[in-house]
């Protein structure tokens, strides 16, 4: 496969040759046309000179044509007129009103019999005036012009002037020969010019290729291309490649962290399982010890199954193969269910679970995934809130959205860690990881973030270290822009501003 430089040089050469060929043809055609126009003007001028000479002779009283003493002999021009006509270039022929030749220039007289007959026949059939006629002779081609010189009502002279086109042919052959000689030199210069210019143009690209090859070895993704002043296009290319390399670096880093975290999360339960199985298989273990060991192994199996299920959920979400079964869902009953679950979980942790009046709202969503989203936030708050703390749940409806918030008085998250809250396997340092014996895998918030986005909503966090956190889910109401509802949809729940029977407003009791 030829290089781009070679292909560009070849294309430039072909374009140059084609342009040179078209230029040469156009030059020859234009030059030929101009030469013929000049020749026509000369022929017309010569014919006009003859006419003026005859008129002048008649005006001065000198008869231009004399008869012979023999009445049967043809008439001829006078001596002075003949001398004048002999000075004219080209072919000159003068005929009387009967069509007889009364004067023929030496060029006409020197024609062969066949050429003389052709010339005379063409002269007799030509029309007087500005119309030119081409006459092809045996060894020549001439342009012929005719003029009438009236003598009386029934008598006239006819004058013919013609010039050869050989000079035009010689001029055109000279131009063509010059082009044939010069063209190879021009083509060679064009090829060298194209090769040098394309090489200079691709020099910055070669530098970019070398830099990219040095960066993409997998160990130098932190490096970036230098964006110089080589041109706007190459600057854009470098900027685009830098952004691409940055994304690759981020993906590689996330992949490394994911692999390390997943390996760590799997290593611990596998180690515990192995120890439990070995203890259960030991002949010195009692039945009670064996049962305890198998129970611990089962707990670890359940823990790994939950981890694999979470990873599978996120993997399907990344590939867009996770289908949501969306339907109108009222959030107040769901929130009340979540509140009851939170109170059961909070009893063991000696936490106070509070719920402000829950404003009912209807969204278009997957009930199972929305329940998982709310429970993830609630269990996350309970896990990281010390004993005696408080967790508050809020469901509030606004003009086009509904917000579900979970506020806790837990250990909080440092400001530097907030951008990474929704990353997979993320847990705010070792303190947060060990603050609860029920510490998770660090996938719950990542799954929650995906569920909120899949429903056209957002999940945001506000937190201060040591003062607790607030996680807020914002979802579009059913029928609102971004809800996924096509056409016009009127929600009875969302259109109700208040309900005297307490249907639209649910309390936590």
């Amino acid at each position: 496969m030829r290089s781009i430089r070679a292909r560009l040089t070849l294309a430039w050469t072909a374009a140059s040759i084609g342009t040179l060929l078209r230029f040469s043809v156009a030059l020859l055609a234009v030059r030929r046309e101009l030469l013929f126009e000049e020749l026509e003007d000369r022929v017309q001028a010569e014919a006009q000179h003859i006419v003026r000479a005859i008129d002048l002779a008649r005006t001065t009283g000198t008869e231009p044509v004399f008869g012979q003493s023999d009445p049967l002999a043809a008439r001829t021009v006078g001596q002075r007129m003949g001398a004048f006509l002999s000075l004219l270039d080209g072919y000159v022929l003068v005929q009387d009103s009967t069509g007889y030749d009364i004067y023929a220039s030496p060029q006409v007289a020197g024609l062969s019999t066949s050429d003389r007959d052709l010339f005379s026949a063409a002269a007799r059939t030509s029309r007087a005036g500005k119309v030119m006629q081409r006459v092809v002779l045996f060894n020549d081609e001439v342009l012929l012009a005719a003029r009438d010189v009236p003598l009386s009502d029934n008598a006239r002279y006819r004058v013919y002037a013609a010039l050869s086109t050989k000079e035009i042919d010689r001029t055109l052959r000279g131009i063509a020969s010059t082009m044939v000689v010069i063209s190879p030199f021009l083509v060679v210069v064009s090829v060298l010019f194209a090769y040098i210019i394309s090489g200079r143009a691709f020099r910055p690209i070669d530098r970019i290729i070398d830099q990219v090859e040095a960066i993409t070895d997998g160990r130098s993704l932190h490096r970036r291309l230098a964006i110089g002043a080589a041109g706007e296009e190459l600057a854009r290319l470098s900027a685009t490649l830098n952004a691409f390399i940055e994304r690759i670096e981020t993906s590689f880093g996330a992949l490394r962290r994911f692999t390390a975290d997943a390996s760590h999360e799997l290593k611990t339960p596998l180690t515990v399982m192995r120890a439990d199985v070995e203890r259960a298989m030991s002949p010195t273990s009692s039945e009670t010890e064996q049962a305890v060991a198998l129970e611990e192994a089962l707990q670890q199996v359940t823990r790994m199954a939950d981890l694999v299920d979470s990873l599978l959920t996120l993997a399907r979400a990344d590939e867009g193969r996770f289908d949501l079964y969306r339907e109108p869902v009222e959030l107040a009953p769901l929130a009340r269910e979540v509140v009851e679950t939170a109170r059961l979980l909070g009893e063991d942790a000696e936490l106070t679970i509070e719920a402000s009046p829950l404003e009912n709202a209807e969204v278009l969503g997957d009930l199972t995934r929305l329940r998982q989203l709310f429970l993830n936030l609630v269990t996350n708050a309970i896990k990281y809130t010390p004993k005696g703390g408080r967790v508050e749940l809020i469901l509030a409806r606004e003009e086009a959205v509904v917000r579900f918030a979970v506020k806790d008085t837990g250990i909080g998250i440092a400001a530097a860690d907030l951008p990474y809250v929704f990353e997979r396997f993320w847990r705010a340092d070792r303190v947060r990881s060990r603050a609860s014996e029920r510490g998770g895998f660090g996938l719950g918030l990542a799954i929650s973030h995906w569920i909120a986005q899949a429903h056209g909503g957002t999940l945001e966090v506000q937190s201060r270290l040591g003062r607790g956190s607030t996680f807020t889910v914002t979802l579009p109401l059913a029928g609102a822009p971004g809800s996924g509802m096509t056409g016009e949809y009127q929600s009875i729940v969302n259109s109700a501003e208040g309900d005297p029977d307490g249907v639209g407003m649910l309390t936590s009791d």
Side-chain angles (χ1 to χ4, degrees):
M1 185 69 179
R2 295 188 299 269
S3 65
I4 297 179
R5 182 181 184 182
R7 291 202 298 270
L8 284 177
T9 303
L10 182 61
W12 175 269
T13 303
S16 300
I17 293 175
T19 303
L20 184 61
L21 180 62
R22 287 191 292 270
F23 172 77
S24 301
V25 172
L27 177 64
L28 290 174
V30 171
R31 185 59 178 159
R32 182 177 185 274
E33 188 68 23
L34 292 176
L35 290 174
F36 267 101
E37 289 180 0
E38 293 176 1
L39 186 62
E40 289 177 2
D41 292 340
R42 288 173 56 196
V43 173
Q44 294 285 359
E46 191 160 297
Q48 194 64 30
H49 286 330
I50 301 173
V51 172
R52 288 177 180 175
I54 295 175
D55 288 340
L56 181 61
R58 294 175 59 204
T59 303
T60 57
T62 303
E63 182 60 37
V65 179
F66 294 95
Q68 301 292 334
S69 57
D70 186 358
L72 297 178
R75 303 177 67 183
T76 182
V77 296
Q79 183 177 1
R80 293 180 61 185
M81 180 61 64
F84 170 76
L85 294 178
S86 64
L87 296 176
L88 298 177
D89 295 332
Y91 301 86
V92 176
L93 182 65
V94 180
Q95 295 179 341
D96 61 11
S97 57
T98 61
Y100 286 103
D101 297 341
I102 58 178
Y103 175 80
S105 66
Q107 288 86 345
V108 175
L111 293 175
S112 63
T113 304
S114 59
D115 284 347
R116 177 69 179 269
D117 292 339
L118 286 174
F119 189 87
S120 298
R124 284 191 294 271
T125 58
S126 63
R127 290 182 299 172
K130 297 292 184 180
V131 180
M132 305 293 295
Q133 183 176 357
R134 290 191 182 184
V135 181
V136 180
L137 305 178
F138 181 75
N139 289 323
D140 198 0
E141 180 179 355
V142 298
L143 281 181
L144 176 68
R147 290 287 189 278
D148 284 338
V149 182
L151 298 177
S152 62
D153 293 338
N154 298 322
R156 61 179 174 81
Y157 294 148
R158 171 161 281 198
V159 175
Y160 304 98
L163 292 176
S164 174
T165 61
K166 287 183 177 181
E167 187 64 29
I168 295 178
D169 295 336
R170 283 195 295 270
T171 302
L172 295 178
R173 282 197 298 269
I175 295 175
S177 301
T178 303
M179 296 301 297
V180 170
V181 174
I182 294 177
S183 294
F185 174 75
L186 294 178
V187 170
V188 171
V189 172
S190 176
V191 170
L192 294 176
F193 177 79
Y195 191 77
I196 294 173
I197 293 300
S198 60
R200 292 175 62 88
F202 278 100
R203 196 171 301 163
I205 296 180
D206 291 335
R207 288 197 296 267
I208 291 176
I209 293 173
D210 294 338
Q211 294 178 22
V212 171
E213 288 178 347
I215 290 174
T216 55
D217 59 356
R219 296 184 298 273
S220 304
L221 291 176
H222 62 281
R223 297 172 55 187
R224 295 295 180 267
L225 300 177
I227 302 178
E232 181 182 356
E233 294 80 4
L234 294 181
R236 288 177 53 199
L237 174 62
S238 299
T240 303
L241 288 175
N242 282 339
F244 178 66
I245 294 171
E246 183 176 358
R247 289 194 295 270
I248 292 178
E249 181 185 16
T250 302
S251 300
F252 266 66
L255 180 61
R256 291 193 198 97
R257 290 193 301 271
F258 176 83
T259 304
D261 293 338
S263 301
H264 178 74
E265 294 294 341
L266 290 172
K267 179 179 180 181
T268 300
L270 287 173
T271 303
V272 174
M273 284 178 58
R274 179 175 181 177
D276 289 336
V277 172
E278 289 177 351
R279 185 172 58 174
M281 294 177 61
S282 175
T284 59
S285 300
S286 61
E287 293 183 359
T288 302
E289 292 175 341
Q290 291 177 347
V292 171
L294 291 176
E295 183 179 358
E296 290 181 355
L298 181 60
Q299 291 176 355
Q300 297 301 322
V301 170
T302 303
R303 177 180 172 85
M304 286 194 299
D306 293 340
L307 173 61
V308 172
D309 182 67
S310 298
L311 292 176
L312 183 60
T313 298
L314 291 173
R316 289 177 175 174
D318 290 340
E319 296 179 4
R321 296 190 297 109
F322 204 99
D323 296 328
L324 295 177
Y325 302 97
R326 304 184 72 173
E327 58 184 355
V329 176
E330 293 188 31
L331 294 184
L334 177 59
R336 185 169 56 181
E337 177 186 337
V338 172
V339 169
E340 295 300 326
T341 303
R343 285 177 174 166
L344 292 176
L345 296 175
E347 288 181 359
D348 296 336
E350 300 178 6
L351 301 178
T352 301
I353 307 298
E354 298 179 356
S356 302
L358 305 174
E359 300 181 22
N360 197 13
E362 189 175 57
V363 300
L364 187 67
D366 188 315
L367 178 59
T368 302
R369 291 299 169 186
L370 289 176
R371 181 184 292 111
Q372 181 183 8
L373 168 60
F374 291 174
L375 286 176
N376 279 352
L377 299 180
V378 169
T379 55
N380 190 70
I382 293 174
K383 283 180 185 179
Y384 300 108
T385 301
K387 290 183 179 182
R390 178 172 56 86
V391 176
E392 181 181 1
L393 282 70
I394 302 172
L395 181 65
R397 190 180 72 196
E398 299 180 7
E399 181 178 356
V401 297
V402 58
R403 302 186 191 278
F404 177 77
V406 179
K407 301 173 64 176
D408 64 60
T409 58
I411 62 177
I413 306 171
D417 293 327
L418 286 177
Y420 312 103
V421 166
F422 301 114
E423 290 189 2
R424 299 167 190 185
F425 292 110
W426 180 88
R427 281 169 294 189
D429 62 35
R430 298 179 179 85
V431 175
R432 188 171 176 89
S433 301
R434 298 175 182 175
S436 173
E437 295 177 355
R438 296 172 292 176
F441 303 110
L443 296 175
L445 289 179
I447 294 176
S448 299
H449 189 253
W450 164 73
I451 294 174
Q453 288 183 330
H455 285 79
T458 59
L459 175 58
E460 300 174 343
V461 57
Q462 294 178 338
S463 182
R464 294 184 65 181
L465 192 62
R467 296 190 180 183
S469 305
T470 301
F471 285 86
T472 304
V473 179
T474 303
L475 299 174
L477 295 175
S483 65
M485 183 75 70
T486 57
E488 296 184 359
Y489 177 78
Q490 296 293 332
S491 172
I492 298 177
V493 175
N494 294 338
S495 61
E497 297 184 0
D499 190 356
D501 298 327
V503 177
M505 185 82 72
L506 301 179
T507 63
S508 59
D509 296 330

